[in-house]
């Protein structure tokens, strides 16, 4: 009896030693695995997206079927006006099926299913954010590992990501506003991994539907100088950007019949977009509270909604809209620095 008890004790001690010696999880490696998980695993489930705006909260509930590497269908369950509509994605091509109006809106967006980094710019994200482990949790009945993304310049936690412990698929994401409040949340309510999808599930219907082209931007380019030259007017750019932000891409497109230059800046997680044209359209902000501001000597308007801030103004015959996931103070600072 003594020998058996001693053996049990030794086994327990060895097991404890092995557990203690196990290396801690590497949050950066987990994020890399999360980027690859979307194109590796097929699954079906139910997802809720919630946008906690300043003036109102918007929630969308949808059923999702995904066949790796890049075929996805989302079926809207709520709110009521969207019930029955769906979005089918084939790679970067997206077909928004509006069954109520019998139309299909076709667009392209190569970051539609971006899992972690803005525009898949993972290197930039890691340059500006420190990944740390949070407490384990349970999401949709799955054991999940938690990774926190902490801004290296401000020390603020900007995003919390919950990964399936087995597959590393992103099961939940929470993005925080500059104040620290939760601004956006994506969460799987249920999920199961499967490859048994009928081929017709990802087929785009044609009978009875009119296909129209959605808002198409020009092909984004990393050569912002070349893009600016094609704008058709003397374009301007910001002389100030917050720590960690870099110019990422730009394009020129027609928005409501107006030739518009779009310049994108990012720190890998948050983004700032500067739109400018020579014939501005009135700001559609009927659902928001618009407040007056100043951009240098120019009158401006701004609105805040959750993590997003928009600033609009006109100067020297050009019209500007600056949209970003930054505080009002930072956005007005950027706007004031916009110069030829």
């Amino acid at each position: 009896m003594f020998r058996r008890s001693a053996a049990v004790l030794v086994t327990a001690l060895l097991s404890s030693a092995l557990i203690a010696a196990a290396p801690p999880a590497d949050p950066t490696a987990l994020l890399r695995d999360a980027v690859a998980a979307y194109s590796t695993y097929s699954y079906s489930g139910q997802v809720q997206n919630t946008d906690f705006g300043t003036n109102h909260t918007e929630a969308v509930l949808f059923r999702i079927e995904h066949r790796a590497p890049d075929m996805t269908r989302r079926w809207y369950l709520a709110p009521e006006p969207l019930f029955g509509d769906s979005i089918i994605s084939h790679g970067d091509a997206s077909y928004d099926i509006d069954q109520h109006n019998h139309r299909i809106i076709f667009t392209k967006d190569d970051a539609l299913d971006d899992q972690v980094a803005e525009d898949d710019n993972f290197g930039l994200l890691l340059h500006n954010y420190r990944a740390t482990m949070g407490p384990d949790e349970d999401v949709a009945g799955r054991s999940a590992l938690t990774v926190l993304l902490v801004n290296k310049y401000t020390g603020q936690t900007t995003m919390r990501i919950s990964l399936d412990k087995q597959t590393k698929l992103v099961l939940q994401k929470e993005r925080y506003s500059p104040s620290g409040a939760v601004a956006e949340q994506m969460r799987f309510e249920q999920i199961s991994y499967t490859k048994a999808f009928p081929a017709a599930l990802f087929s785009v219907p044609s009978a009875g539907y009119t296909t129209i082209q959605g808002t198409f931007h020009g092909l984004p380019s990393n050569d912002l100088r070349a893009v600016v030259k094609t704008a058709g007017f003397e374009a301007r750019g910001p002389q100030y950007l917050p720590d960690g932000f870099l110019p990422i891409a730009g394009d020129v497109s027609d928005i409501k019949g107006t030739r518009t230059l779009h310049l994108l800046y990012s720190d890998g997680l948050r983004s700032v977009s500067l739109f400018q044209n020579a014939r501005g359209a009135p700001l559609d902000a009927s659902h928001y509270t618009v407040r007056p501001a100043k951009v240098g000597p120019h009158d401006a308007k701004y609105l805040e909604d959750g993590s997003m801030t928009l600033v609009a103004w006109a100067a020297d015959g050009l019209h500007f809209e600056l949209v970003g996931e930054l505080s009002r103070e930072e956005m007005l600072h950027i706007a004031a620095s916009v110069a030829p």
Side-chain angles (χ1 to χ4, degrees), residues 217-264:
H217 296 285
L219 183 65
S221 171
N222 294 327
D223 188 347
L224 266 62
R225 290 182 180 274
V227 172
V228 166
K229 290 180 180 179
T230 67
F233 50 83
E234 187 177 357
R236 302 184 177 189
Q239 304 301 305
Y240 163 80
L241 289 170
D243 289 332
F245 277 80
L246 294 174
I248 300 299
D251 63 73
V252 176
S253 60
D254 286 338
I255 299 179
K256 297 182 180 180
T258 301
R259 189 171 180 81
T260 301
L261 171 65
H262 170 218
L263 302 176
L264 175 68

Side-chain angles (χ1 to χ4, degrees), residues 18-310:
L18 289 173
I19 293 173
D26 181 349
T28 300
L30 289 175
L31 292 178
R32 293 186 187 278
D33 290 341
V35 173
Y38 178 81
S39 60
T40 304
Y41 295 97
S42 299
Y43 55 86
S44 63
Q46 186 168 299
V47 178
Q48 178 168 299
N49 279 341
T50 307
D51 185 355
F52 299 96
T54 303
N55 301 296
H56 61 281
T57 297
E58 295 182 355
V60 175
L61 185 67
F62 59 88
R63 182 77 186 170
I64 185 170
E65 278 88 18
H66 172 69
R67 186 174 69 191
D70 60 0
M71 304 283 277
T72 306
R73 185 161 192 158
R74 299 168 177 82
W75 311 77
Y76 286 104
L77 303 176
E80 180 68 27
L82 294 178
F83 181 76
D85 290 348
S86 61
I87 299 177
I88 297 176
S89 304
H90 298 166
D92 64 353
S94 176
Y95 303 86
D96 190 337
I97 303 171
D98 180 356
Q99 71 168 12
H100 302 89
N101 297 299
H102 304 288
R103 65 178 184 173
I104 298 173
I105 303 172
F106 171 61
T107 58
K108 280 200 170 184
D109 183 355
D110 61 1
L112 182 66
D113 289 302
D114 167 50
Q115 298 295 291
V116 178
E118 179 75 22
D119 276 358
D120 296 322
N121 203 325
F122 197 66
L124 182 59
L125 180 143
L126 293 180
H127 179 75
N128 292 310
Y129 290 87
R130 182 176 70 257
T132 64
M133 296 301 299
D136 293 356
E137 56 185 328
D138 181 274
V139 181
R142 305 281 300 185
S143 296
L145 300 169
T146 301
V147 177
L148 307 176
L149 291 173
V150 181
N151 189 289
K152 293 181 180 179
Y153 301 98
T154 66
Q156 183 181 36
T157 298
T158 305
M159 181 173 285
R160 175 189 177 101
I161 303 174
S162 302
L163 312 174
D164 189 313
K165 186 174 289 187
Q166 181 179 354
T167 66
K168 309 306 183 291
L169 186 76
V170 176
L171 298 178
Q172 178 174 280
K173 284 195 296 187
E174 288 184 347
R175 184 189 291 268
Y176 302 100
S177 69
S179 69
V182 177
E184 302 169 18
Q185 184 190 68
M186 181 283 292
R187 181 182 176 89
F188 273 87
E189 294 187 338
Q190 55 184 254
I191 186 172
S192 60
Y193 294 93
T194 178
K195 296 182 180 179
F197 293 117
L201 183 65
F202 306 103
S203 298
V204 180
S206 56
Y209 287 87
T210 300
T211 299
I212 62 175
Q213 180 174 293
T215 302
F216 264 67
H217 296 285
L219 183 65
S221 171
N222 294 327
D223 188 347
L224 266 62
R225 290 182 180 274
V227 172
V228 166
K229 290 180 180 179
T230 67
F233 50 83
E234 187 177 357
R236 302 184 177 189
Q239 304 301 305
Y240 163 80
L241 289 170
D243 289 332
F245 277 80
L246 294 174
I248 300 299
D251 63 73
V252 176
S253 60
D254 286 338
I255 299 179
K256 297 182 180 180
T258 301
R259 189 171 180 81
T260 301
L261 171 65
H262 170 218
L263 302 176
L264 175 68
Y265 307 86
S266 177
D267 67 353
L269 189 58
R270 300 170 298 171
S271 65
V272 172
S273 286
L274 175 62
F275 297 90
Q276 55 189 293
N277 58 58
R279 193 186 73 184
L283 177 63
D284 182 11
S286 55
H287 299 293
Y288 304 94
T289 300
V290 179
R291 295 181 171 86
K294 283 286 187 179
V295 173
H298 308 290
D299 290 331
K301 297 178 180 179
Y302 80 91
L303 62 86
E304 296 174 293
D305 190 55
S307 62
M308 300 297 296
T309 303
L310 183 149

